[in-house]
Amino acid sequence: MKENNYKPQIPDVMEAIFDAAYLTFDLVAAMLFFIFSKVNMLFILYGILTLTLCGGDAFHLVPRIIRAVRGSNDKIKRQLGIELQVSSVTMTVFYIILMYIWKLTFPEFKIPVVIEAVVWISAVVRIVICLFPQNNWCTDEGNMRLSIIRNTVFAVTGTGIIILYLISGNTYGYHMTRMAAAIIISFGCYLPVTLFSKTKPKVGLLMIPKTCAYMWIIVMGLQILSEY
C-alpha cells in the first residue's frame, strides 16, 4: 500500500498513542531520578536504567509509530529490523544495570559469585549473538534457530536477576519480590512475541503487558525515591 493512500485504522492510532505515552513516561521518570537523586548513586543508576530502556525502545518504537500513522514502506521495514537489534542489545544492558541497582539497594546482601558470573556471561553471549548478521534482522523470516538461542540465553540472564530480588525479599519494606514478578511477566510476554510474532502477528499484542511490566519496574524505583 502506498504511503500517500494510507489511512490509519483505530488499532494503529491506539498503538501509536500507547508507544508515545510509554516513551514520554520513561523520559519524565529519568528526569525525576536525576533531579531528585541528591547525588545518590542508586537513583543515578535508576535514571541510567530508565534512559537505557527509553533509548533502546525508542529505536524500535519510533519507526512503529511512524508506520502506524503513515503506513509501511521498505525503509521503515529496514529501520524496524535494525532497531529491533539495537533494542535487543540495550535490553540486555538493562538487566546488568538492574543487578547493580540490587547491589546498591541492599548493600548488606552479598551477591552470590555464581549468579553474578552467570548474569555477566549470559549477557555478553547474548549481545555477541545479536551482532551476528545471520540473525537476518531486516528480513521477514528472521532466523528462528538464532532467535531461540539468543532468547534462551536472555532468559538465563533474567533468571539470575529474579533470584537476586527473591533473595532480598521484603528487606526495608520495599517489597522487591514485586520486581521478580515484573521480570517474570515481561519474559512471559516477550518470549512468545519474539519467537512467533512473524508467523502469528496477533501474538504481538503481548508486547502491551510486557511494556507495562517494564513501567512497573521504573515505578518501583520512583517509590523508593519518594521515601528518601
Side-chain angles (χ1 to χ4, degrees), residues 6-160:
Y6 178 77
K7 293 183 179 180
Q9 302 298 309
I10 291 178
D12 299 321
V13 174
M14 295 302 293
E15 177 187 359
I17 292 173
F18 178 82
D19 291 344
Y22 163 64
L23 294 176
T24 301
F25 166 82
D26 284 348
L27 280 175
V28 172
M31 291 174 62
L32 291 174
F33 281 125
F34 288 126
I35 291 171
F36 297 104
S37 68
K38 298 178 182 178
V39 200
N40 185 320
M41 193 58 196
L42 172 61
F43 300 118
I44 292 175
L45 263 186
Y46 261 118
I48 295 172
L49 180 84
T50 308
L51 283 182
T52 301
L53 180 65
C54 181
D57 282 350
F59 272 100
H60 183 55
L61 294 181
V62 170
R64 288 182 67 89
I65 292 172
I66 296 173
R67 183 182 67 179
V69 175
R70 301 177 59 188
S72 184
N73 55 45
D74 291 338
K75 180 180 178 181
I76 290 293
K77 288 180 180 179
R78 178 171 177 77
Q79 286 178 338
L80 283 170
I82 295 173
E83 273 99 26
L84 183 59
Q85 180 184 34
V86 173
S87 63
S88 295
V89 173
T90 57
M91 283 313 307
T92 310
V93 175
F94 176 91
Y95 281 100
I96 295 175
I97 298 172
L98 200 56
M99 177 176 67
Y100 284 93
I101 284 176
W102 181 87
K103 286 184 174 185
L104 291 176
T105 306
F106 307 105
E108 73 279 19
F109 285 94
K110 182 174 177 59
I111 184 171
V113 175
V114 173
I115 292 180
E116 186 169 15
V118 166
V119 169
W120 266 110
I121 292 172
S122 60
V124 171
V125 169
R126 174 177 161 81
I127 291 173
V128 171
I129 294 175
C130 286
L131 299 178
F132 289 171
Q134 291 85 353
N135 284 284
N136 298 326
W137 293 103
C138 298
T139 64
D140 291 333
E141 64 272 14
N143 186 320
M144 179 59 72
R145 182 178 180 182
L146 279 181
S147 179
I148 292 173
I149 293 173
R150 69 175 182 263
N151 287 298
T152 298
V153 176
F154 191 31
V156 172
T157 305
T159 299

Side-chain angles (χ1 to χ4, degrees), residues 132-197:
F132 289 171
Q134 291 85 353
N135 284 284
N136 298 326
W137 293 103
C138 298
T139 64
D140 291 333
E141 64 272 14
N143 186 320
M144 179 59 72
R145 182 178 180 182
L146 279 181
S147 179
I148 292 173
I149 293 173
R150 69 175 182 263
N151 287 298
T152 298
V153 176
F154 191 31
V156 172
T157 305
T159 299
I161 305 303
I162 289 169
I163 292 172
L164 290 180
Y165 281 94
L166 289 177
I167 289 173
S168 54
N170 190 34
T171 304
Y172 303 145
Y174 289 164
H175 299 284
M176 276 304 184
T177 48
R178 295 177 300 172
M179 186 73 79
I183 296 171
I184 291 171
I185 292 171
S186 68
F187 271 95
C189 295
Y190 170 77
L191 293 178
V193 171
T194 191
L195 292 175
F196 306 117
S197 62

